[in-house]
């Protein structure tokens, strides 16, 4: 799909009658393709000539018009999480060099001029499609290892990333995509909103990703994070309503095997699991027409190659058990970290592979299993390298365990000891259960029961807060 980035919004085609009365639905607002083209072009006229603008990324029709308007004008979008604290927001605005603020004037705007986004404004001015290497987004990472970094993504990368998902998921204009995820990350914004606008499938944002909202949306393709799917299976009536869907996609964190199994039992659909980062977009996925194995994220999407390597850079065997750092290459990768040339250089190997910082295993058929982050999920204990994800999967299979996070804490004897933080009812047989499933060196030396696990906006557990 070459040419216009958001192909379904081609102004000539829309003007010629290729419209859709409900191309985007968010809450009570319904936008046709004509509404989006006219409203977004009105935004484009107000910001044309700027280099970057900040968009308060609330799940609203105004955000849709702001993002699309900037893309029409060739202006880079800096999505600002609506729940960002003042320190994080100030950092994003200052670091990005945003020249305008598209969002509510009453919000903390960092002194930037506020550009109003009017839902009923219309302009039919025609803009030339920006060249593919133009920056589309500066997405800020979650900042787990320091201040958030600005990930620079080009229009070319966005188009390649979406196009690679089309055959993997058999995504077509006949689908209706539904999700209730944030519009400031790759999952909800790029793959979700922009994916639908490029493919031409109607898009429904549920506001909040509740089971009832998902059930009522009537979609064929659903996106969710594990927390969302866990809530869906806890509401059997809503889960059964999704049986008419075509595909359920889970990402942004590992989907617990019990949730996978419950989704399959209640909806009739084994969910598709996929892997990606802000820097790589979605690069690995199980297929709509392929095997869907709990705990495994599938094969590289079209155009992507992967490898796993040991700490010394030597290849790790593809035996499904050996783990190493996951490295990737592909046309949808980012251009670098904004204002951070040293961090950008360090992110790449000398022979051109991006270091994801994630630990993975690959089996003999090329199917990938993500163990977790090297910084928090690779535990080195007593000379063994242990993947926290494997231990978590075993613990989650116990009926008394609702949630779990496994970390390596400092230990004078072992270097690190395996500690599990468990949400759920205490059980006398939990240690015996784990002992039947795991080798001695992988078993938690300590199990701590907690009320909740710290999570970010995408549902990912913040392990650095556990100690």
């Amino acid at each position: 799909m070459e040419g216009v980035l958001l192909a379904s919004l081609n102004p000539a085609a829309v003007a010629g009658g290729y419209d859709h009365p409900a191309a985007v639905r968010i809450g009570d607002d319904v936008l046709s393709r004509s509404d989006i083209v006219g409203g977004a072009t009105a935004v484009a006229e107000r910001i044309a000539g700027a280099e970057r603008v900040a968009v308060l990324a609330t799940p609203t029709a105004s955000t849709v018009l702001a993002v699309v308007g900037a893309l029409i004008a060739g202006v880079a979008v800096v999505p600002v999480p609506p729940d960002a604290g003042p320190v994080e927001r100030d950092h994003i605005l200052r670091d990005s060099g945003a020249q305008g603020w598209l969002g509510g004037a009453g919000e903390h705007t960092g002194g930037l001029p506020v550009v109003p986004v009017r839902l009923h404004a219309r302009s039919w001015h025609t803009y030339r499609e920006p060249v593919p290497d133009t920056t589309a987004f500066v997405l800020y990472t979650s900042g787990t290892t320091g201040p958030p970094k600005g990930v620079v993504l080009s229009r070319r990368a966005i188009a390649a990333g979406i196009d690679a998902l089309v055959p993997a998921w058999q995504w077509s204009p006949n689908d209706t995509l539904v999700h209730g995820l944030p519009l400031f990350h790759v999952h909800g914004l790029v793959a979700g909103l922009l994916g639908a606008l490029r493919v031409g499938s109607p898009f429904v944002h549920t506001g909040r990703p509740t089971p009832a909202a998902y059930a009522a949306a009537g979609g064929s393709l659903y996106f969710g994070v594990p927390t969302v799917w866990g809530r869906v299976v806890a509401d059997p009536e809503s889960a059964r309503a999704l049986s008419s869907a075509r595909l359920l996609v889970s990402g942004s964190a590992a989907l617990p095997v019990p949730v996978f199994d419950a989704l399959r039992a209640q909806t009739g659909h084994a969910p598709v699991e996929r892997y990606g980062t802000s820097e790589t977009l979605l690069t690995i996925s199980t297929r709509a027409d392929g095997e869907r194995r709990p705990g495994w994220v599938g094969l590289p999407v079209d155009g992507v190659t992967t490898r796993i390597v040991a700490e010394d850079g030597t290849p790790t065997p593809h035996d499904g058990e050996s783990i190493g750092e996951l490295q990737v290459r592909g046309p949808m990768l980012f251009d670098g970290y904004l204002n951070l040339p040293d961090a950008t250089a360090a992110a790449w190997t000398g022979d051109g592979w991006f270091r994801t910082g994630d630990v993975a295993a690959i089996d003999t058929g090329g199917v990938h299993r993500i163990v977790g982050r090297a910084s928090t999920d690779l535990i080195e204990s007593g000379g063994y390298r242990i993947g926290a994800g494997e231990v978590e999967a075993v613990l989650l299979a116990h009926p008394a365990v609702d949630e779990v996070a496994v970390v390596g804490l400092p230990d004078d004897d072992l270097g690190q000891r395996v500690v599990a933080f468990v949400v759920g009812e205490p059980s006398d047989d939990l240690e015996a259960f784990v002992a039947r499933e795991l080798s001695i060196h992988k078993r938690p030396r300590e199990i701590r029961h907690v009320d909740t696990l710290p999570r970010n906006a995408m549902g990912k557990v913040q392990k650095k807060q556990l100690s």
Side-chain angles (χ1 to χ4, degrees):
M1 291 170 60
E2 297 294 334
V4 178
L5 173 60
L6 304 180
S8 71
L9 300 182
N10 185 309
V14 170
Y18 184 64
D19 203 347
H20 192 291
V24 169
R25 176 156 52 94
I26 299 184
D28 295 330
D29 292 317
V30 179
L31 302 174
S32 68
R33 288 179 181 143
S34 179
D35 291 335
I36 298 171
V37 171
T41 304
V43 173
E45 289 195 348
R46 300 187 190 105
I47 63 174
E51 184 177 3
R52 304 183 194 103
V53 293
V55 174
L56 182 65
T58 54
T60 61
S62 295
T63 295
V64 175
L65 297 183
V67 169
V68 176
L71 293 176
I72 288 173
V75 177
V77 177
V78 182
V80 179
D83 61 349
V87 173
E88 179 183 359
R89 188 175 296 187
D90 285 345
H91 169 75
I92 291 172
L93 298 180
R94 182 176 61 254
D95 185 69
S96 69
Q99 297 157 291
W101 173 272
L102 280 65
E107 303 291 336
H108 174 69
T109 62
L112 295 176
V114 176
V115 180
V117 178
R118 301 186 177 96
L119 292 185
H120 302 293
R122 296 291 181 268
S123 170
W124 305 110
H125 181 80
T126 300
Y127 285 84
R128 184 184 298 274
E129 179 77 3
V131 298
D133 289 333
T134 302
T135 297
F137 290 98
V138 181
L139 297 181
Y140 277 80
T141 63
S142 58
T144 55
T145 58
K149 297 191 290 288
V151 174
V152 179
L153 291 164
S154 70
R155 300 173 75 92
R156 185 191 306 277
I158 299 294
I162 294 169
D163 291 351
L165 298 176
V166 170
W169 298 345
Q170 298 179 352
W171 193 353
S172 81
N174 295 324
D175 281 306
T176 294
L177 171 62
V178 176
H179 76 65
L181 305 175
L183 294 182
F184 49 86
H185 281 306
V186 165
H187 196 168
L189 175 61
V190 178
L193 174 61
L194 299 192
L197 294 178
R198 182 165 175 81
V199 173
S201 57
F203 171 75
V204 177
H205 194 287
T206 61
R208 297 181 61 234
T210 65
Y214 270 40
S220 61
L221 175 61
Y222 284 79
F223 290 178
V225 297
T227 301
V228 170
W229 295 125
R231 292 171 179 169
V232 167
V233 299
D235 182 348
E237 183 178 353
S238 294
R240 285 192 294 272
L242 300 185
S243 61
S244 61
R246 184 180 66 81
L247 204 65
L248 311 180
V249 180
S250 182
S252 295
L255 184 68
V257 174
V259 176
F260 182 106
D261 291 339
L263 271 177
R264 179 164 50 188
Q266 295 179 20
T267 70
H269 299 292
V272 160
E273 296 187 68
R274 88 308 177 275
Y275 166 82
T277 70
S278 299
E279 294 90 343
T280 67
L281 303 186
L282 306 187
T283 47
I284 304 171
S285 180
T286 47
R287 302 300 203 263
D289 59 355
E291 178 190 13
R292 305 179 203 175
R293 190 189 313 170
W296 295 74
V297 295
L299 301 165
V301 299
D302 289 357
V304 172
T305 53
T306 65
R307 70 182 186 185
I308 50 175
V309 299
E311 288 182 342
D312 61 3
T314 57
T316 300
H318 290 192
D319 55 15
E321 293 292 334
S322 301
I323 58 177
E325 183 193 40
L326 177 65
Q327 300 178 354
V328 302
R329 294 192 298 197
M332 64 286 293
L333 269 62
F334 75 136
D335 290 335
Y337 296 113
L338 186 68
N339 305 323
L340 296 171
D342 291 343
T344 299
W348 298 86
T349 66
D351 54 349
W353 293 78
F354 174 68
R355 308 176 191 268
T356 66
D358 287 314
V359 179
I362 304 176
D363 73 6
T364 55
V367 180
H368 293 58
R369 174 171 59 91
I370 306 300
V371 174
R373 295 295 294 172
S375 59
T376 57
D377 294 311
L378 181 60
I379 302 169
E380 299 196 9
S381 180
Y384 293 97
R385 304 178 84 218
I386 302 162
E390 180 182 4
V391 184
E392 290 166 351
V394 170
L395 285 163
L396 282 168
H398 192 283
V401 177
D402 297 326
E403 297 178 284
V404 64
V406 171
V407 300
L409 297 184
D411 187 275
D412 292 339
D413 179 40
L414 299 171
Q416 288 182 305
R417 69 183 185 280
V418 180
V419 178
F421 291 80
V422 172
V423 177
E425 293 296 325
S427 174
D428 292 337
D429 71 336
L430 185 55
E431 291 187 9
F433 177 84
V434 172
R436 290 194 296 270
E437 302 291 330
L438 291 174
S439 303
I440 292 176
H441 66 272
K442 297 179 181 178
R443 299 173 195 168
R445 298 299 178 107
E446 185 180 354
I447 295 177
R448 301 183 187 178
H449 288 273
V450 295
D451 293 331
T452 60
L453 297 176
R455 297 180 181 274
N456 65 13
M458 292 300 292
K460 294 182 179 180
V461 176
Q462 302 298 283
K463 290 191 174 182
K464 290 187 179 294
Q465 298 182 29
L466 297 172
S467 61

